[in-house]
């Protein structure tokens, strides 16, 4: 009997020990990542400038916290002890100096590597160095690791990501673990206790509809990525998020498309990782990225991903249950012309079986707050009528009245 208790105790201890660091990313992470604009053209000055502007633009106040360097921060070789080395030309004072600067601004710092033998851009990968690299990140005060999937031929994704997750947890430093295997191995089915977020698709591109031919592969437009989220909402929640990839807001989409892209990422409870050049973004782009009411939808503590409720005339109605009985509603116009629509809230009660939340405008009344115009537009006692522009959204918060 005693022996069995011991075995059980040991099993539960080793299970707890084998898990990722808990208590992180209880709402989807917000931050900035270098890849979408700079690819491997990154350096110390850029990091300092971006950290400064994250503070001065109001992004930090709006909740953006992580500044993450993607591929290209390393030298081409490890040192003679097998340790990673920052590119000495790009980062003449090393990575710790950069991390210190970011921290001095009240922000957190992230790095990138890859589960394979090399990163996608050909820098040293982590395969076989998981614990050593985890110690490097902890020693350099890294708070976030994005872990990619290039050059991994023949290895098992669950095992590779679990090994890195354990290695990070073993350091004792809280490090958000961002898994980036492009949704190829259905991480949503097994990664709840491995990573804090996992990519659900291939790479995003700065186009709204369709895909972009990249030679050997196709990058995905915003609508394609939205469509690929179907069926995944039940896997997301506090501490473990579906990641439909980083934002392309401010990278060439129209203002309407930027707004629609951002709104939909908020409806999806997606990590909000900006990828534009914050140093010279337009006021329109900034105002989209720091819309606190949209961000509040994303960051709602219940952590329930939204769902597509209806579609008519190319306008999709998305709903997201929020705390205190509130709801976010987003009308997404997929077409290239404006569409008028209406919503009779009283037509039938809406029930979300995942969260058990209901939107019942017969039983309750909700005040309608327009998240982009910032106007209150009556209550759900009346049919809501509006026109949504091409590739644009109308996004509302229904505030439950007692
Ligand atoms: C891709 C990844 C991108 C970026 C790039 C860097 O695999 O999906 O987000 O990290 O690698 O090479």
């Amino acid at each position: 009997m005693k022996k069995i208790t011991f075995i059980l105790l040991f099993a539960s201890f080793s299970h707890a020990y084998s898990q990722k660091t808990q208590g992180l990313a209880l709402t989807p992470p917000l931050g900035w990542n270098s890849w979408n604009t700079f690819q491997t053209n990154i350096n110390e000055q850029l990091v300092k400038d971006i950290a400064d502007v994250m503070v001065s633009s109001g992004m930090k106040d709006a909740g953006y916290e992580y500044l993450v360097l993607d591929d290209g921060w390393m030298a081409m070789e490890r040192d003679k002890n097998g340790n990673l080395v920052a590119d000495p030309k790009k980062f003449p004072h090393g990575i710790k100096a950069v991390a210190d600067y970011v921290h001095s601004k009240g922000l957190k710092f992230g790095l990138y590597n890859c589960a394979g033998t090399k990163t996608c851009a050909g820098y040293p990968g982590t395969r076989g160095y998981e614990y050593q690299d985890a110690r490097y990140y902890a020693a350099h005060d890294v708070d976030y690791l994005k872990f990619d999937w290039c050059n991994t031929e023949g290895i098992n994704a669950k095992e590779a990501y679990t090994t890195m997750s354990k290695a990070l947890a073993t350091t004792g430093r809280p490090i958000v673990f961002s898994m980036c295997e492009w949704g190829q191995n259905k991480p949503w089915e097994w990664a709840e206790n491995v990573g804090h977020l996992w990519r659900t698709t291939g790479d995003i591109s700065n186009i709204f509809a369709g895909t972009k031919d990249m030679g050997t592969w196709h990058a995905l437009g915003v609508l394609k990525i939205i469509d690929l989220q179907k069926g995944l909402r039940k896997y997301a929640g506090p501490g473990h998020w579906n990641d439909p990839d980083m934002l392309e807001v401010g990278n060439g989409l129209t203002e309407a498309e930027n707004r629609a892209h951002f709104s939909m990422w908020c409806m999806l409870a997606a990590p909000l990782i900006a990828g534009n050049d914050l140093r010279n973004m337009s006021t329109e782009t900034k105002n989209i990225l720091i819309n606190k009411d949209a961000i509040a939808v994303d960051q709602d503590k219940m952590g329930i991903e939204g769902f597509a409720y209806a579609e008519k005339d190319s306008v999709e109605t998305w709903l997201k249950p929020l705390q205190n009985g509130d709801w976010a509603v987003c009308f997404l116009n997929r077409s290239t012309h404006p569409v008028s629509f209406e919503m009779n809230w009283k037509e039938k009660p809406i029930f979300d079986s995942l969260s058990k939340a209901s939107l019942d405008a017969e039983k309750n009344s909700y005040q309608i707050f327009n998240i982009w115009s910032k106007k209150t537009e009556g209550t759900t006692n009346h049919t809501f009528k509006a026109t949504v522009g091409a590739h644009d959204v109308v996004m509302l918060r229904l505030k439950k009245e007692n």
Side-chain angles (χ1 to χ4, degrees):
M1 187 61 184
K2 260 190 181 157
K3 198 172 172 191
I4 291 173
T5 318
F6 175 75
I7 290 168
L8 282 175
L9 261 176
F10 180 75
S12 62
F13 174 76
S14 63
H15 178 62
Y17 189 69
S18 73
Q19 289 182 349
K20 70 177 185 188
T21 304
Q22 301 289 343
L24 294 173
L26 297 179
T27 58
L30 281 104
W32 178 89
N33 173 299
S34 51
W35 184 254
N36 284 355
T37 296
F38 298 97
Q39 286 88 51
T40 59
N41 301 315
I42 50 181
N43 57 57
E44 179 179 309
Q45 194 55 48
L46 177 70
V47 177
K48 288 184 171 175
D49 291 350
I50 293 287
D52 290 349
V53 73
M54 277 177 81
V55 176
S56 63
S57 64
M59 288 192 64
K60 177 173 175 251
D61 284 345
Y64 292 83
E65 187 177 21
Y66 293 95
L67 191 163
V68 182
L69 285 178
D70 207 284
D71 209 349
W73 65 270
M74 289 178 269
M76 289 317 274
E77 304 289 341
R78 291 173 180 270
D79 71 11
K80 62 177 184 342
N81 298 317
N83 290 316
L84 293 170
V85 181
D87 182 318
K89 287 212 183 73
K90 294 175 180 170
F91 299 98
H93 301 98
I95 278 298
K96 179 71 166 61
V98 171
D100 286 350
Y101 189 85
V102 171
H103 288 137
S104 77
K105 297 282 154 178
L107 298 165
K108 291 186 171 149
F109 181 63
L111 285 177
Y112 161 102
N113 210 316
C114 193
T117 48
K118 282 187 188 312
T119 72
C120 301
Y123 297 90
T126 289
R127 181 88 176 127
Y129 293 89
E130 289 81 1
Y131 282 79
Q132 187 167 357
D133 288 358
R135 283 195 297 275
Y136 176 94
Y137 302 131
H140 289 75
D141 291 350
V142 167
D143 309 294
Y144 185 112
L145 177 69
K146 174 174 169 182
F147 207 51
D148 213 341
W149 192 237
C150 281
N151 305 300
T152 52
E153 287 77 11
I155 68 175
N156 176 290
K158 186 175 175 185
E159 280 173 20
Y161 280 95
T162 302
T163 302
M164 194 64 212
S165 177
K166 282 187 202 173
L168 293 173
T170 305
T171 68
R173 184 174 173 86
I175 299 177
V176 171
F177 190 37
S178 158
M179 301 171 44
C180 178
E181 55 69 80
W182 320 308
Q184 285 186 350
N185 303 276
K186 298 194 173 154
W188 44 88
E189 287 181 355
W190 48 263
E192 178 174 342
N193 281 315
V194 179
H196 302 98
L197 57 155
W198 51 75
R199 281 274 295 278
T200 54
T201 71
D203 285 15
I204 194 170
S205 182
N206 60 345
I207 51 170
F208 197 73
T211 60
K212 199 190 253 185
D213 189 351
M214 308 295 283
T216 50
W217 58 285
H218 283 87
L220 307 168
V222 168
L223 290 178
K224 284 268 178 228
I225 292 197
I226 292 170
D227 293 343
L228 287 165
Q229 307 311 307
K230 207 171 168 212
L232 301 186
R233 68 185 291 255
K234 66 177 183 213
Y235 298 105
H240 51 99
W241 306 102
N242 290 315
D243 175 9
D245 206 356
M246 304 175 293
L247 296 167
E248 290 283 14
V249 173
N251 284 343
L253 301 172
T254 66
E255 189 185 346
E257 290 171 341
N258 281 327
R259 182 167 44 240
H261 169 27
F262 191 75
S263 301
M264 284 305 301
W265 261 233
C266 294
M267 293 300 288
L268 291 167
L272 298 176
I273 310 293
N276 57 317
D277 188 348
L278 304 180
R279 298 170 306 178
N280 46 42
M281 62 182 158
S282 67
T283 308
E284 290 78 21
T285 291
K286 185 180 82 179
N287 288 341
I288 289 169
L289 288 172
I290 66 174
N291 182 325
K292 289 189 179 168
D293 297 301
I295 293 172
V297 169
D298 180 77
Q299 294 290 301
D300 186 84
K301 294 252 180 340
M302 289 211 313
I304 302 288
E305 194 172 315
F307 58 97
Y309 170 68
E311 176 170 13
K312 193 176 172 230
D313 302 335
S314 303
V315 175
E316 286 178 3
T317 305
W318 284 74
L319 299 172
K320 182 182 194 285
L322 305 174
Q323 276 188 314
N324 306 321
D326 287 6
W327 285 78
V329 186
C330 188
F331 301 96
L332 166 69
N333 182 0
R334 301 174 67 107
S335 79
T336 51
H337 53 266
V339 180
S340 296
F341 67 93
E342 55 179 59
M343 176 91 178
N344 175 5
W345 309 102
K346 296 199 167 187
E347 193 177 278
K348 58 176 182 218
I350 296 166
F351 180 70
D352 172 29
S353 54
L354 180 70
S355 64
K356 312 275 183 271
S358 63
L359 199 184
D360 188 339
E362 282 290 358
K363 274 203 198 137
N364 304 302
S365 173
Y366 302 81
Q367 204 181 70
I368 300 174
F369 176 74
N370 186 317
I371 287 176
W372 292 105
S373 74
K374 306 288 180 197
K375 290 191 181 123
T376 299
E377 307 202 24
T379 69
T380 50
N381 292 324
H382 304 282
T383 295
F384 180 80
K385 294 182 185 166
T387 299
V388 54
H391 286 181
D392 204 346
V393 287
V394 169
M395 189 184 189
L396 310 173
R397 184 182 185 113
L398 306 187
K399 297 182 184 172
K400 192 172 168 194
E401 295 179 320
N402 293 315

